[in-house]
Each structure stands twice: as structure tokens, then as C-alpha cells.
Amino acid sequence: MLPPCTAFAESVATRVAVRRGARAVEETAGRQGIAVLVTRAAPERLRFEAWYDSLVVWRETPAGRLLPDTDGLVGGRWAGRLSETGDAALSTRPFMPPGVLDAADLSDTFADFLPPLPAGPVAPGSHWQADDGRLVVERLADSVSAGRALGRYRWRRLRAAPGDSLTFGQRTDDLGWLVWDPSSGPLAWRREVTVQATMRGGPRVSDGVETLVVQAVNVRRVTDRVVCP
């Protein structure tokens, strides 16, 4: 699925809108960095280690802009296992400096970094669907770049966390596009993630709270410099 060591340039932009009664607050946040993934074969799942070679994190609030120093996080290791469909189970997370936490909690970043993949081959024009029906991966028409045939995929994953349906509900819609090199894995992908959460009025929250999170993620493989150990 991946070479032993791969570097990716990542750019993330997030908008968060919170409405409580007639009062609405909006914030924006983002990050840009170079992420490095090192993998090695293991029974059932690949073992992986990941870190940021460089990272900028920011958050814009009504009170002002946060631009924390990320030196304490750059180089910190995430580790775990990868499934054949790109899902990651983290066993190690780096320490999150308080300043970075004020802007964004990146503890689980590499649990959802890679795009979802079909569990087996998919012909152009066909699709694969997970057993629970919440993830569909469609193979689009292939393309050619520098004499190489590249696979192109589109996915949609829906998640719902109803909790207590009388007081709380959450829905996540993950839509993405992937360019895949059959010989070396993912070259680039982008995703649009929308999270809608509602907490209805009750004894503790009289007005109810509605939260909308919209996130745009762009990732491309980096080949113009050496960042691997």
C-alpha cells in the first residue's frame, strides 16, 4: 500500500460555527505541514510510525489569532497499525504542547490521515461498499501522467452518533477524491468533511446548541526533498 518511507504535504482549513439560541459564534483554524510515514510489514496489519517534519498551526477566534510555536511537537511520534483499507489504530501519541492544544488537538491526526481504500480490486466504473454500508468507494476513469497509468477514486463515508436521541445527535459526511499509483500507492487526495451536531434544550441546556464544522483537506506526496531517516 505504501513505500517504506513516504512524505506528504498536508494543508487543512476548518470553519466552526456554533449557534446557541439567537447567539452565533464562528471560528476558523488550519494547519500546513510535511508529514512523514514509515511502514514495515507485520502480521495482519502494517506497523507504521508518523511525525511532522514541519508544521504550522493557527486558529482565528473572536478574541484574536493564535499562532503557537510547534517546535515541541515537530518530530514527535505517532505509531500504530494500518489495515488494508487505510484505517489506523494508534498505540502511541506524542505529547501535545499546551500552546498547540489551544489552537488544535492533533492527538488523533494520524488515526484518520490516509484516505479510505476498497478491500479489493475495483474496475473503472465500479464501486466497493463496506459491509455496514457507510463507506462507498467508486473507481473513476483512469488517467495517464508521465507515461504512467493512474487510478482515480471517489469515496463517501457517513457516520452517525445519535447518543440519546432526545438530547444529542451528530452526523459526519466525509467526501473525497484520490489519485493512486498502482506501483507506489497514494499520490494525492482531497476531502471535504462536514460535521453537524445538535444538543437540544433540556434541564442543563435551555436554548439548545447547534454546531457545524466544515473541513477541507488537501494532501500530496512530496518527492523534491529527502525527509526520511
Side-chain angles (χ1 to χ4, degrees):
M1 184 176 71
L2 285 170
C5 182
T6 318
F8 297 97
E10 178 194 45
S11 176
V12 180
T14 305
R15 178 174 65 88
V16 181
V18 180
R19 178 178 294 276
R20 181 168 184 171
R23 183 170 178 264
V25 177
E26 184 170 311
E27 298 184 359
T28 56
R31 67 178 183 270
Q32 290 186 327
I34 302 296
V36 182
L37 271 73
V38 174
T39 62
R40 62 183 178 87
E44 297 183 2
R45 288 188 168 202
L46 284 175
R47 290 188 180 273
F48 79 93
E49 190 175 47
W51 64 90
Y52 281 104
D53 183 67
S54 64
L55 179 65
V56 175
V57 177
W58 59 270
R59 179 182 173 194
E60 195 81 42
T61 75
R65 182 179 177 87
L66 300 176
L67 189 63
D69 185 341
T70 61
D71 285 352
L73 181 58
V74 169
R77 263 44 174 183
W78 287 260
R81 291 176 178 265
L82 284 172
S83 74
E84 62 179 357
T85 57
D87 295 321
L90 292 176
S91 57
T92 302
R93 297 168 174 82
F95 169 74
M96 288 289 148
V100 174
L101 275 175
D102 289 339
D105 186 353
L106 305 183
S107 300
D108 291 330
T109 293
F110 287 97
D112 194 31
F113 178 78
L114 292 170
L117 301 172
V122 178
S126 300
H127 72 275
W128 172 85
Q129 181 170 300
D131 292 339
D132 60 9
R134 296 180 182 179
L135 170 63
V136 177
V137 181
E138 176 187 3
R139 185 169 177 181
L140 308 176
D142 291 352
S143 64
V144 177
S145 176
R148 294 181 300 168
L150 302 177
R152 295 183 180 271
Y153 296 82
R154 175 171 57 208
W155 77 82
R156 187 174 188 184
R157 177 160 51 191
L158 298 175
R159 298 187 181 117
D164 180 350
S165 60
L166 296 177
T167 59
F168 177 76
Q170 179 172 302
R171 175 188 172 93
T172 301
D173 190 348
D174 180 353
L175 182 64
W177 297 263
L178 166 67
V179 180
W180 178 271
D181 186 333
S183 65
S184 62
L187 295 181
W189 65 92
R190 62 186 177 94
R191 68 200 311 167
E192 299 170 358
V193 182
T194 302
V195 181
Q196 295 175 296
T198 302
M199 182 176 292
R200 297 168 181 82
R204 297 184 180 180
V205 187
S206 58
D207 293 334
V209 178
E210 296 179 358
T211 302
L212 174 65
V213 180
V214 179
Q215 187 174 73
V217 180
N218 285 278
V219 182
R220 61 176 177 82
R221 186 178 296 183
V222 175
T223 59
D224 58 352
R225 63 172 175 152
V226 176
V227 293
C228 295

